[in-house]
Amino acid sequence: MIEKLGLIAAAIGYIGTIIGVFAYLRKIWRSIKLERDGVLCLLRSNIRKIYYAHVDETEPTLREYERQDLDELYGGYNAMHGNTFVSDLYEKMRHWKVVT
């Protein structure tokens, strides 16, 4: 009888440990998702800022460092699987003239 109680207690302990591990992993996953969403928002915002700074020009141009920034921002955004809105903006800006 005592052996059975010991086995039951051990099983409950293992189950509790497993539930605790999954709860901890879920918390970490949520934190990572929030950070990812925040980074995507910042990348999208910076790309849009570059776009709207030059889109109204008769012949839109980018400075060399803006083009480098744009390529790096979009590279990160694309690697994080951002939406197509920014991809459309990037495609338009890719063909803009670059000045030094």
Side-chain angles (χ1 to χ4, degrees):
M1 179 71 153
I2 294 179
E3 291 176 10
K4 286 184 180 181
L5 287 176
L7 288 174
I8 291 171
I12 290 172
Y14 290 135
I15 291 171
T17 301
I18 291 170
I19 290 172
V21 167
F22 279 115
Y24 179 71
L25 291 175
R26 183 174 182 224
K27 182 180 177 182
I28 290 174
W29 179 256
R30 282 185 176 177
S31 175
I32 290 171
K33 184 179 180 334
L34 287 173
E35 289 178 16
R36 177 191 172 276
D37 291 347
V39 170
L40 274 173
C41 184
L42 290 171
L43 291 169
R44 179 175 45 250
S45 175
N46 285 329
I47 292 169
R48 277 194 349 243
K49 191 180 294 184
I50 293 171
Y51 177 79
Y52 288 121
H54 299 284
V55 71
D56 292 333
E57 298 172 4
T58 53
E59 186 178 328
T61 59
L62 293 172
R63 292 179 191 87
E64 188 174 336
Y65 70 88
E66 284 178 314
R67 179 52 190 253
Q68 291 171 354
D69 288 346
L70 176 64
D71 290 340
E72 289 177 15
L73 289 167
Y74 182 72
Y77 190 81
N78 192 38
M80 295 179 79
H81 306 290
N83 63 23
T84 58
F85 169 73
V86 172
S87 296
D88 293 342
L89 293 182
Y90 179 74
E91 280 303 313
K92 292 176 186 176
M93 291 187 283
R94 248 177 21 104
H95 303 290
W96 290 356
K97 183 178 178 181
V98 177
V99 294
T100 54

